[in-house]
Amino acid sequence: MSENRVNDFKKLIEFYFSDSNLRKDKFLFNLIQTNKNDGWIDLSIILEFQKIKSIINEKSFTEQELDQVFKDSKLLVLNQDKNKIKRIEWPIKDLTQLEIKEIDEKTIYIEPITNKISTPDLIRKLLLLEQKIEDNNNNNNNNNELIQHISIPKFSDKTLKGFAFVEFSNKDIANQTIRNIDLNPSKYENLIALSKFEWLEKKKQFSYLNNPSRYLKISNIPIIIQTNNNGNNNNNNNNNNNNNNNEDDDDDELKVIDSNDKSCTKILKMNKPYLWKFFDEQTNITVTFLDYISGSDKAILKFSSQLDIQNAIDQFQLGEIKLYNNILNIIHLSDSEINSLKQRTQSHEKSKYGNQKNNNNNNNYYNNNNNNNNKRKRD
């Protein structure tokens, strides 16, 4: 084994067993914490890690090489049989407030995490795209060392929550990455990137999946729809049938081209019934609430579950939701919009379920009367 490979292996294995990594690596932490052999871990387990295997390149260590790796380590010790290792100090120390602040300073928040970038390796490759970053001493960093940890939260069923935290080697690199994404979002899968401090302050505004109301705001909706004037178009019929029930859709019709020609084109404003029909029949996403003003290029959607909104975000980010030739995009919701929507949807649901309750009572009254009438007839 070359000296470089010995050094690379030592650096990587000490990183794995470092305090900072063990605070996040549940597998290794539990392996040490629940170990009944005084903290000794089989070296064979560690040698199966993919990054370790890439350094070793399928060549076994000699005893001399293993001694060279661990002889000067201040963190790890190798047993006499050369087949187990353990940390010199355990348990790991609690972080001070200053240390927590320093970690947060070099950590960024990114969203949305779609299936296209669903693993740490895919995120690492994307964020380090075309990057050659220099540290404060103007020394070029190895790209593999720029990112120290990537956390991708998931639900209990292993589906993505839609965001991730990325810890860099220092805060300058973290801030530079945010700038790179802001300057050219299309190169970075249209990610939103924030410092962890900014995320803590604005998470209600920026995090769709953390928002318990599950709202999503979209743009680039066509402001007009085209239907046949002969009345055979189902969408046109649907719009006409629903216009009386939609107070936002006044003056939907803009103009008619040659009203004497049955095959002519009637141009209408985009409206809420048409959008409902579009999402219900032409997409694979399930919308439970739609806020839209006729003729606007923006709308706000609400979803019934985290899985539904994750599915929608995936499709929007991949450019799969198109209305005519327009690709619909996700944009930000302001705090005031979210608060307004919460009030309106609560009022809407209260009215809806209140009406259902009244209808149920009426139905019960009707059924009871019928039963009484039938009873009288039998008597």
Side-chain angles (χ1 to χ4, degrees), residues 16 25 27-28 45-54:
Y16 281 137
D25 192 326
F27 172 76
L28 262 184
I45 296 176
I46 310 304
L47 297 180
E48 286 300 313
F49 291 2
Q50 290 300 317
K51 290 183 180 178
I52 297 288
K53 290 174 73 173
S54 67

Side-chain angles (χ1 to χ4, degrees), residues 75-90:
L75 182 66
L76 299 169
V77 62
L78 180 70
N79 71 345
Q80 291 183 353
D81 294 332
K82 319 293 184 187
N83 61 358
K84 296 181 185 293
I85 60 173
K86 76 170 185 176
R87 276 182 48 120
I88 296 174
E89 293 184 3
W90 187 261

Side-chain angles (χ1 to χ4, degrees), residues 289-300:
F289 175 83
L290 173 65
D291 186 62
Y292 179 74
I293 297 176
S294 181
S296 171
D297 70 334
K298 298 177 180 62
I300 297 175

Side-chain angles (χ1 to χ4, degrees), residues 249-280:
D249 290 336
D250 295 338
D251 300 325
D252 278 348
E253 184 176 321
L254 296 181
K255 64 178 180 178
V256 177
I257 304 174
D258 190 2
S259 59
N260 294 321
D261 183 357
K262 291 186 178 181
S263 64
C264 74
T265 299
K266 178 184 290 185
I267 301 179
L268 303 173
K269 285 183 183 180
M270 181 60 65
N271 55 62
K272 187 182 292 186
Y274 188 93
L275 273 183
W276 269 118
K277 192 174 182 69
F278 167 72
F279 285 115
D280 285 346

Side-chain angles (χ1 to χ4, degrees), residues 84-100:
K84 296 181 185 293
I85 60 173
K86 76 170 185 176
R87 276 182 48 120
I88 296 174
E89 293 184 3
W90 187 261
I92 59 178
K93 298 177 181 178
D94 292 333
L95 288 173
T96 66
Q97 289 300 314
L98 178 60
E99 288 171 329
I100 293 174

Side-chain angles (χ1 to χ4, degrees), residues 72-327:
D72 295 325
S73 177
K74 297 180 180 179
L75 182 66
L76 299 169
V77 62
L78 180 70
N79 71 345
Q80 291 183 353
D81 294 332
K82 319 293 184 187
N83 61 358
K84 296 181 185 293
I85 60 173
K86 76 170 185 176
R87 276 182 48 120
I88 296 174
E89 293 184 3
W90 187 261
I92 59 178
K93 298 177 181 178
D94 292 333
L95 288 173
T96 66
Q97 289 300 314
L98 178 60
E99 288 171 329
I100 293 174
K101 180 181 177 182
E102 289 174 346
I103 292 174
D104 287 349
E105 284 178 343
K106 58 181 183 177
T107 301
I108 71 171
Y109 166 90
I110 56 174
E111 72 164 42
I113 300 301
T114 64
N115 292 329
K116 194 173 181 180
I117 49 172
S118 59
T119 68
D121 285 342
L122 290 173
I123 292 176
R124 184 186 304 272
K125 182 178 179 180
L126 178 66
L127 295 186
L128 299 180
L129 187 67
E130 298 181 3
Q131 283 203 100
K132 185 178 181 182
I133 305 177
E134 297 184 350
D135 60 24
N136 291 330
N137 297 321
N138 293 322
N139 296 320
N140 290 337
N141 282 294
N142 183 334
N143 268 6
N144 291 327
E145 299 174 4
L146 296 179
I147 295 177
Q148 294 189 333
H149 184 76
I150 298 175
S151 172
I152 308 175
K154 296 180 181 180
F155 294 106
S156 57
D157 62 359
K158 305 301 181 183
T159 56
L160 301 172
K161 288 189 175 182
F163 59 93
F165 293 97
V166 184
E167 181 185 340
F168 291 85
S169 57
N170 63 63
K171 64 180 181 181
D172 293 330
I173 297 174
N175 292 333
Q176 182 175 333
T177 302
I178 293 174
R179 289 193 296 270
N180 290 343
I181 294 173
D182 288 345
L183 290 173
N184 199 348
S186 61
K187 184 184 291 186
Y188 296 93
E189 298 294 332
N190 294 312
L191 286 176
I192 300 166
L194 306 169
S195 70
K196 189 171 181 181
F197 288 129
E198 189 176 1
W199 172 77
L200 291 170
E201 294 295 324
K202 299 183 177 181
K203 62 180 179 180
K204 290 183 180 179
Q205 176 180 351
F206 284 94
S207 175
Y208 301 118
L209 294 182
N210 273 353
N211 182 353
S213 299
R214 296 181 294 276
Y215 292 112
L216 203 61
K217 188 174 183 180
I218 60 172
S219 67
N220 205 31
I221 299 171
I223 63 173
I224 61 172
I225 56 178
Q226 293 186 351
T227 60
N228 292 331
N229 196 32
N230 57 17
N232 293 328
N233 186 282
N234 291 332
N235 289 335
N236 193 27
N237 290 336
N238 183 65
N239 293 339
N240 291 335
N241 291 336
N242 286 280
N243 276 345
N244 292 333
N245 298 324
N246 187 356
E247 60 185 19
D248 291 333
D249 290 336
D250 295 338
D251 300 325
D252 278 348
E253 184 176 321
L254 296 181
K255 64 178 180 178
V256 177
I257 304 174
D258 190 2
S259 59
N260 294 321
D261 183 357
K262 291 186 178 181
S263 64
C264 74
T265 299
K266 178 184 290 185
I267 301 179
L268 303 173
K269 285 183 183 180
M270 181 60 65
N271 55 62
K272 187 182 292 186
Y274 188 93
L275 273 183
W276 269 118
K277 192 174 182 69
F278 167 72
F279 285 115
D280 285 346
E281 299 182 359
Q282 299 183 42
T283 72
N284 293 321
I285 64 176
T286 304
V287 177
T288 60
F289 175 83
L290 173 65
D291 186 62
Y292 179 74
I293 297 176
S294 181
S296 171
D297 70 334
K298 298 177 180 62
I300 297 175
L301 315 177
K302 183 182 179 182
F303 301 85
S304 62
S305 70
Q306 301 284 11
L307 289 177
D308 285 344
I309 193 172
Q310 176 63 63
N311 177 49
I313 288 175
D314 283 354
Q315 294 189 54
F316 280 118
Q317 290 298 322
L318 292 173
E320 294 178 352
I321 308 297
K322 294 182 181 180
L323 185 48
Y324 300 132
N325 292 324
N326 289 26
I327 298 177

